[in-house]
Amino acid sequence: MKTVSENRSFGGVQGVYSHASEACKCEMTFAVYLPPQAEHGKVPVLWYLSGLTCTHENAMTKAGAQAWAAEEGIALIFPDTSPRGEGVPNDEAYDLGQGAGFYVDATEAPWAANFQMWHYIRHELPELVFSEFQLDRDRQGITGHSMGGHGALTLAMSFPENYRSVSAISPIANPTKSDWGRKQFAAYLGPDESKWRAHDATILMEERGYPGTILIDQGSADQFLDLLKPEALVAAAAARRQPFEFRMIEGYDHSYFYVASVMEDHVRWHAENLR
């Protein structure tokens, strides 16, 4: 692991690091915020997965999460959204290729060689950060925005033993029924739609749910509502009688101005659930 930068922030340290990823076959960059409490022992962890076109840097610099994390004594981890670099396949469209990993393990050419983001987030990056930092592996939460909200929900419902809390901000909630999902799943996973089901939060809600309360925020003025399809996930949660808090917040769109507006609630909500 290489240190790219470290800066004091709200009494803690905001670091950016890189490492050679075996899963993604390239150099991967990620960020970790350690609150001041980490100087005295292991602290709980909140994973934040970013959305389309983002890197580790977007939420790190725009969400304002460090202030609340420092107060609550919780670490933040900001992974990248895809493999990158020379030799890594890409596409001219913003919603496929680099910046658009969709948190799946690709099985189709040319993506399969590098686009192993499910394994990277689930296995490789946790093994690295828990060996390097003062983090409590038994107290992990996960959240994310848009494509990252999709990743957070699908990972938490697939591995509830690893994530004791889960929330999402404007998640892609039903990707098998959306152009933000069908296009990418067909490219990464192939035409057999049965292989897509494991990466659709609405289907996972119908089939298994989550052993805890889920928090989801959605802006009512989101310009991508028809692609996100929150109503499908809400209906599945209601049918399952899943403990579920869904907030449609009037007037907010899909931007990081909105993310920053609700970030305090999400950090504090996870901190409370991870105590």
Side-chain angles (χ1 to χ4, degrees):
M1 190 183 76
K2 303 173 186 176
T3 299
V4 177
S5 63
E6 287 184 334
N7 300 94
R8 296 295 293 181
S9 176
F10 297 99
V13 176
Q14 178 61 68
V16 177
Y17 309 94
S18 67
H19 71 114
S21 168
E22 293 184 7
C24 298
K25 304 294 189 296
C26 66
E27 193 83 358
M28 294 290 286
T29 302
F30 65 96
V32 177
Y33 176 70
L34 294 177
Q37 295 86 342
E39 296 179 6
H40 308 291
K42 293 183 178 181
V43 294
V45 178
L46 177 58
W47 294 83
Y48 181 98
L49 306 185
S50 290
L52 286 168
T53 74
C54 293
T55 70
H56 69 280
E57 191 173 13
N58 293 73
M60 181 186 79
T61 59
K62 296 179 180 180
Q66 292 88 346
W68 320 121
E71 288 188 15
E72 296 289 351
I74 186 170
L76 305 168
I77 302 177
F78 306 100
D80 203 348
T81 54
S82 77
R84 299 179 191 272
E86 186 176 352
V88 175
N90 200 11
D91 191 270
E92 292 182 359
Y94 74 94
D95 57 356
L96 187 67
Q98 295 185 32
F102 258 79
Y103 305 103
V104 302
D105 284 347
T107 57
E108 303 298 301
W111 313 105
N114 302 95
F115 281 67
Q116 302 295 309
M117 290 301 294
W118 182 262
H119 182 85
Y120 179 72
I121 298 296
R122 169 76 174 86
H123 293 291
E124 186 178 18
L125 187 56
E127 290 301 324
L128 177 62
V129 297
F130 285 112
S131 69
E132 295 285 344
F133 301 101
Q134 285 278 67
L135 306 175
D136 188 344
R137 194 164 196 158
D138 293 327
R139 292 189 292 162
Q140 297 183 68
I142 190 167
T143 189
H145 172 237
S146 194
M147 180 184 72
H150 139 78
L153 292 169
T154 55
L155 281 161
M157 283 190 275
S158 298
F159 307 105
E161 68 277 10
N162 285 92
Y163 304 104
R164 285 175 48 180
S165 61
V166 58
S167 72
I169 302 169
S170 306
I172 302 173
N174 194 193
T176 62
K177 302 297 184 183
S178 168
D179 287 343
W180 273 0
R182 296 189 61 82
K183 171 185 176 179
Q184 294 81 6
F185 290 172
Y188 296 145
L189 303 176
D192 183 356
E193 295 189 18
S194 67
K195 297 178 180 179
W196 304 359
R197 296 176 62 85
H199 299 286
D200 188 307
T202 295
I203 292 173
L204 291 176
M205 179 61 71
E206 293 169 349
E207 294 181 346
R208 63 179 70 182
Y210 178 75
T213 301
I214 298 174
L215 170 65
I216 294 184
D217 279 333
Q218 174 64 60
S220 68
D222 194 316
Q223 60 271 45
F224 302 115
L225 265 176
D226 290 342
L227 292 166
L228 302 174
K229 299 188 179 299
E231 66 279 2
L233 180 59
V234 171
R240 189 178 183 83
R241 299 181 179 177
Q242 166 75 45
F244 190 82
E245 184 174 347
F246 178 81
R247 307 190 301 188
M248 181 69 80
I249 304 178
E250 185 176 0
Y252 283 89
D253 59 16
H254 201 71
S255 71
Y256 260 89
F257 295 108
Y258 164 60
V259 173
S261 298
V262 299
M263 182 54 65
E264 178 183 1
D265 289 350
H266 284 254
V267 171
R268 295 198 190 282
W269 187 85
H270 281 277
E272 180 63 28
N273 280 277
L274 295 174
R275 292 197 203 288

